[in-house]
Amino acid sequence: MIAGLRALLNRFPGLKRLLRYLLQALPAAGVSSHYVRLEGEQATAESSRLRAAWQAQELPARQRELVERQLATYRHGESVDVFDIMVRALRDLPSDVRGLSLLEIGCSSGFYSEVLDIAGFGVGYAGCDYAEPFIALARQKYPALRFDVADATALRYADEAFDIVISGCCLLHIPEYRAGVAETARVARQYAIFHRTPVVLGQPTVYYRKQAYGVETVEIHFNEPQFLSLLADCGLEVIATYTLDESVSHRVGAANRTYVCKKSTP
Ligand SMILES: C[S@@+](CC[C@H](N)C(=O)[O-])C[C@H]1O[C@@H](n2cnc3c(N)ncnc32)[C@H](O)[C@@H]1O
């Protein structure tokens, strides 16, 4: 039944967006709820107050509960939109990824290693996250893989240490996201992928306070042209874009996209 509902929603993106909106509006019903838009000084103050929010002890178990369901669906050969986009992004790269090294920044419990494994990529996966509880769970789930506690804005890897670097839907929680992009670019040798990036068009970057799995966090929706010029400033050339969802309301656009970049040659 769940598979049928998912297939139906994939055929009708408008219905899917409506359902997602309703889930967010209901208290604690979805992964993300209680969105409050932050303005001016409040955006700066709240994003620094909540910078460490994802280090909360209770988050890994709550997120993993959802992830286990998604992984089970995916193992059965059914579609999971966020996984599908990552898999397409890697499949479409100009070079074969087999045997390449790959780092996921903001890896949580490392579940994308399993997604890439199911998809049969044969990459050398490593993950890092600033939250010790997430990394402890990742090491428990995938003991053969390398996981490090590391902040996305100050990585301890050498320049060009990994062939592919995935910024795993973490920039939106990081007030110093410019440093996060620069670090992603620095440690990538060939490609940098900014997965599930919320962007807006026709308005400046927007800050929200929200609850993620019942924990108060900040979520940044980047003005898309500014985000793209930040990528270019960090020596990254966008070679593909994948859109998870997209909407326009009152001449203001919003989207959630995965940007695939190639390191520009100096
Ligand atoms: C929404 S989850 C993303 C999980 C997975 N990568 C994905 O794409 O679904 C965001 C992750 O980013 C991590 N994170 C948040 N701020 C971070 C930072 N400054 N440095 C490294 N990781 C961070 C959180 O701990 C969390 O595991």
Side-chain angles (χ1 to χ4, degrees), residues 198-220:
V199 291
V200 290
L201 289 119
Q203 64 171 318
T205 294
V206 193
Y207 288 69
Y208 294 95
R209 186 177 56 226
K210 68 158 192 181
Q211 290 198 9
Y213 304 96
V215 171
E216 215 175 32
T217 60
V218 158
E219 186 173 298
I220 307 169

Side-chain angles (χ1 to χ4, degrees), residues 51 54 63 104-108 111-112 129-131 134 150-152 168-170 173-174 195-196:
R51 194 193 189 284
W54 280 87
Q63 188 200 60
E104 183 187 7
I105 304 170
C107 67
S108 292
F111 55 95
Y112 268 92
D129 200 289
Y130 83 152
F134 267 121
D151 195 291
C169 188
C170 61
H173 304 302
I174 306 178
H195 189 35
R196 294 172 57 202

Side-chain angles (χ1 to χ4, degrees), residues 123-135:
V123 289
Y125 177 97
C128 70
D129 200 289
Y130 83 152
E132 283 188 22
F134 267 121
I135 291 300

Side-chain angles (χ1 to χ4, degrees), residues 8-251:
L8 181 75
L9 292 176
N10 283 340
R11 267 197 290 138
F12 298 102
L15 183 61
K16 187 171 168 181
R17 271 199 299 278
L18 176 67
L19 202 64
R20 196 172 276 171
Y21 173 79
L22 289 174
L23 281 172
Q24 287 179 3
L26 290 171
V31 170
S32 297
S33 64
H34 298 81
Y35 277 82
V36 175
R37 190 175 167 134
L38 304 169
E39 307 289 348
E41 288 292 297
Q42 204 194 8
T44 316
E46 285 295 84
S47 50
S48 78
R49 179 177 75 84
L50 296 171
R51 194 193 189 284
W54 280 87
Q55 293 170 336
Q57 286 291 342
E58 60 268 40
L59 273 173
R62 290 185 191 168
Q63 188 200 60
R64 192 72 202 190
E65 206 183 307
L66 167 73
V67 163
E68 289 294 349
R69 288 200 298 272
Q70 290 178 313
L71 286 173
T73 302
Y74 199 62
R75 268 188 231 107
H76 277 96
E78 289 166 30
S79 162
V80 175
D81 55 6
V82 287
F83 296 170
D84 294 341
I85 280 195
M86 174 55 69
V87 167
R88 271 182 57 206
L90 289 170
R91 278 217 176 106
D92 293 350
L93 285 178
S95 38
D96 185 5
V97 300
R98 183 159 298 278
L100 297 188
S101 59
L102 181 151
L103 173 72
E104 183 187 7
I105 304 170
C107 67
S108 292
S109 60
F111 55 95
Y112 268 92
S113 67
E114 206 166 327
V115 173
L116 304 188
D117 203 36
I118 296 167
F121 281 118
V123 289
Y125 177 97
C128 70
D129 200 289
Y130 83 152
E132 283 188 22
F134 267 121
I135 291 300
L137 183 58
R139 287 177 179 149
Q140 181 195 317
K141 291 277 173 197
Y142 310 104
L145 298 179
R146 174 181 178 180
F147 291 100
D148 299 306
V149 176
D151 195 291
T153 62
L155 299 172
R156 278 170 284 118
Y157 305 112
D159 294 357
E160 307 200 338
F162 298 89
D163 295 308
I164 303 169
V165 178
I166 295 172
S167 179
C169 188
C170 61
L171 288 180
L172 70 169
H173 304 302
I174 306 178
E176 320 84 359
Y177 60 84
R178 288 180 187 81
V181 173
E183 279 294 83
T184 304
R186 183 184 66 77
V187 301
R189 197 168 72 81
Q190 298 187 49
Y191 302 108
I193 300 178
F194 296 86
H195 189 35
R196 294 172 57 202
T197 311
V199 291
V200 290
L201 289 119
Q203 64 171 318
T205 294
V206 193
Y207 288 69
Y208 294 95
R209 186 177 56 226
K210 68 158 192 181
Q211 290 198 9
Y213 304 96
V215 171
E216 215 175 32
T217 60
V218 158
E219 186 173 298
I220 307 169
H221 294 206
F222 307 99
N223 170 273
E224 189 174 48
Q226 282 176 6
F227 185 72
L228 294 175
S229 71
L230 173 60
L231 297 181
D233 290 349
C234 293
L236 297 171
E237 180 197 342
V238 177
I239 56 168
T241 304
Y242 301 84
T243 298
L244 187 62
D245 49 48
E246 185 166 41
S247 63
V248 181
S249 165
H250 304 293
R251 298 194 185 163

